[in-house]
Amino acid sequence: MALIVPSILSADFTRLGEQVKAVAEAGADRIQVDVMDGHFVPNISIGTLGVEAVRRSTTLPIEAHLMITDPARYVDDFLRAGANVIIAHREVLPDPRPLLNYIRQHGAKAGLAISPETPATAVADYLDDADLILVMTVHPGFGGQALIPECLTKVTQIRQMLTQRGLTRDIEVDGGIHEGTAVQAVVAGANVLVAGSAIYNDRETPQQAMQKLRALIGH
Ligand code: DX5
């Protein structure tokens, strides 16, 4: 059993509310908003306005994946916008603990993300401070990329670290997750799957895409 978290990055923004409701009705567990600043990643996407729009469209938890260089500067804004989970990147946090603590103290779940080039050991000291570890399975910045298989090794390493310490935490994978990669991600130890282009594409409806993924990974 794993959670499915559609990312709106590939949604049709001319009808974002409809697209969010479609996956919510099809059993999505959370909605991810990919926030990009054009500095930490080469792309610029959406900010708090995106979270506010999703907040108006569903009661599901919203996770703000902050692919930005200065997450601490914007956490309050995303909390006010309605984010329930705030994920920041290890690569921009010499010491993630203060920010993770701040997010938790302000009523949201705290996530720590690692990009493909960052080893699993980079989060080893912070497993107790985060509610989830997000292992990027593509280089952050764009949807529709192919999963980098080597990243799944880090999922297994982190799951082993958690088990050794008696910790239960979500391990989330994000990037290139679809019907051909979902099961291997779960087998590697992930229990939260983010999917953007696998859910929002021109081959099928979001509901159909959700049902296909759910059939593969169970309830
Ligand atoms: C990359 C984004 C994507 C997005 C999902 O920066 O974080 O991973 O959430 O994209 P897909 O599922 O299309 O690979």
Side-chain angles (χ1 to χ4, degrees):
M1 171 5 190
L3 303 185
I4 299 177
V5 180
S7 158
I8 62 166
L9 190 65
S10 297
D12 177 350
F13 274 62
T14 66
R15 51 198 188 95
L16 182 59
E18 261 178 65
Q19 298 255 283
V20 169
K21 287 181 172 58
V23 293
E25 284 154 18
D29 294 288
R30 292 201 284 265
I31 304 290
Q32 185 183 86
V33 177
D34 281 307
V35 179
M36 302 176 191
D37 64 0
H39 184 259
F40 175 68
V41 292
N43 194 8
I44 294 176
S45 63
I46 40 180
T48 54
L49 291 178
V51 173
E52 287 171 2
V54 173
R55 186 72 290 153
R56 290 198 299 274
S57 307
T58 182
T59 56
L60 280 179
I62 300 169
E63 59 179 51
H65 175 195
L66 303 184
M67 289 166 274
I68 66 177
T69 299
D70 187 2
R73 178 177 173 189
Y74 298 99
V75 163
D76 287 338
D77 294 342
F78 281 97
L79 289 168
R80 272 193 294 274
N84 307 95
V85 183
I86 296 183
I87 303 169
H89 269 260
R90 177 71 177 87
E91 293 83 10
V92 298
L93 298 168
D95 176 5
R97 195 163 284 124
L99 182 61
L100 295 171
N101 290 342
Y102 183 89
I103 293 168
R104 282 175 151 182
Q105 286 156 10
H106 288 76
K109 286 190 173 184
L112 188 58
I114 50 174
S115 295
E117 67 275 11
T118 302
T121 50
V123 299
D125 293 340
Y126 308 103
L127 296 176
D128 211 10
D129 304 290
D131 297 292
L132 73 87
I133 302 295
L134 170 58
V135 177
M136 291 302 295
T137 37
V138 296
H139 292 288
F142 300 91
Q145 302 176 72
L147 177 138
I148 302 168
E150 295 74 15
C151 294
L152 295 181
T153 306
K154 295 194 286 184
V155 171
T156 305
Q157 289 168 342
I158 294 166
R159 184 58 73 194
Q160 285 167 348
M161 290 178 200
L162 289 166
T163 304
Q164 283 157 8
R165 302 179 197 186
L167 291 175
T168 304
R169 294 290 187 277
D170 285 341
I171 299 181
E172 186 166 312
V173 286
D174 179 354
I177 299 298
H178 51 66
E179 56 189 304
T181 57
V183 172
Q184 62 187 308
V186 173
V187 167
N191 69 304
V192 183
L193 306 183
V194 175
S197 51
I199 301 286
Y200 295 112
N201 58 65
D202 52 14
R203 300 183 300 279
E204 61 210 335
T205 66
Q207 294 92 330
Q208 289 166 335
M210 279 287 302
Q211 281 152 11
K212 262 200 300 194
L213 266 185
R214 185 62 80 193
L216 280 169
I217 61 169
H219 286 268

